[in-house]
Amino acid sequence: MSRTAPLFERLAARYDAWYEGPVGRVVFPLEVACLRPLIQGLPAPALEVGVGSGRFARALGVGYGLDPAHAPLRLAAARGIRVVQGAGERLPFRHASFGAILVVVTLCFADDPAELLREARRVLRRGGGVVLGDVFAESAWGERYRELGEAGHPFYVAARFLTRERLTDILRAAGLRVVRARSTLRQPPTEAPAPEPVVEGDDPDAGFVGWLAVPA
């Protein structure tokens, strides 16, 4: 079993409620706006690895979702996602099954991020792409989440955020290369974030960055 599956099994409702809270109501639309242009135009079908409660999948038109925990999958299914229980490091799909793979703030909870991305590359169809949404360890938001984890926050204590350099390395090892990036949350982390424009490119000061990676 995934090291974090019991956490999300137990706290699925709390995790999902974050999106309706004061931070989630502002941050989630920004993250969706960051990712939408990256996934648009990729061939169907689309799969989200680490689908959780299905909010990103529904907002971005992703039809399939995989997660190791059952409780979040029930929420995702209620949002119209076709769900499969399983680990991202061992995707239960044939080679070249999907045209788009979405991975949003999932690598930090994965047992083996490198293997997850190798599996994403394996099930990717020709002409497809992997869309990543991440909080990098070196960003102000990554540092804030690390502090919350050290203070005992149940989700962030389990998160292992990657640096840009590390993610670039494991993408390269998986046979993927980044061809487009978008950034948001360039404001300092706060309990009362404000809407802001999403910008093209990988802004090193951004708290949330979307990358589109394609086969190298």
Side-chain angles (χ1 to χ4, degrees):
M1 177 182 288
S2 162
R3 68 179 176 88
T4 57
L7 170 67
F8 287 96
E9 200 75 68
R10 186 175 71 254
L11 299 177
R14 176 173 172 177
Y15 165 81
D16 190 58
W18 178 87
Y19 292 92
E20 304 295 341
V23 177
R25 284 197 302 266
V26 176
V27 168
F28 176 63
L30 292 176
E31 294 174 345
V32 169
C34 184
L35 298 173
R36 180 174 286 118
L38 302 180
I39 201 167
Q40 285 178 334
L42 293 177
L47 166 73
E48 183 175 2
V49 176
V51 70
S53 59
R55 289 188 182 254
F56 280 100
R58 183 177 67 174
L60 294 170
V62 174
Y64 294 84
L66 176 136
D67 204 275
H70 288 283
L73 287 177
R74 288 193 290 270
L75 298 173
R79 293 189 166 102
I81 311 304
R82 299 180 66 177
V83 301
V84 177
Q85 192 275 332
E89 295 88 348
R90 296 176 299 280
L91 293 176
F93 306 110
R94 296 178 179 177
H95 290 258
S97 295
F98 294 96
I101 309 290
L102 178 66
V103 186
V104 185
V105 195
T106 290
L107 295 175
C108 60
F109 294 110
D111 291 347
D112 187 342
E115 184 60 26
L116 188 153
L117 288 175
R118 283 192 291 268
E119 278 288 274
R121 173 67 182 89
R122 179 184 66 80
V123 303
L124 193 64
R125 290 181 176 175
R126 179 175 304 206
V130 177
V131 175
L132 302 167
D134 264 297
V135 176
F136 287 113
E138 65 267 33
S139 72
W141 286 79
E143 292 175 359
R144 174 58 178 156
Y145 292 151
R146 178 182 55 78
E147 292 170 357
L148 290 173
E150 291 174 351
H153 190 287
F155 295 112
Y156 299 127
V157 74
R160 301 169 181 167
F161 293 104
L162 301 174
T163 64
R164 278 178 173 80
E165 181 179 11
R166 175 61 178 150
L167 182 51
T168 299
D169 287 345
I170 63 177
L171 282 169
R172 184 181 301 114
L176 296 162
R177 61 185 177 92
V178 177
V179 295
R180 187 180 179 187
R182 287 168 58 83
S183 305
T184 191
L185 292 182
R186 292 172 294 141
Q187 59 193 283
T190 172
E191 292 303 310
E196 65 174 73
V198 178
V199 299
E200 285 289 329
D202 183 351
D203 186 333
D205 295 324
F208 184 87
V209 175
W211 285 358
L212 170 59
V214 300

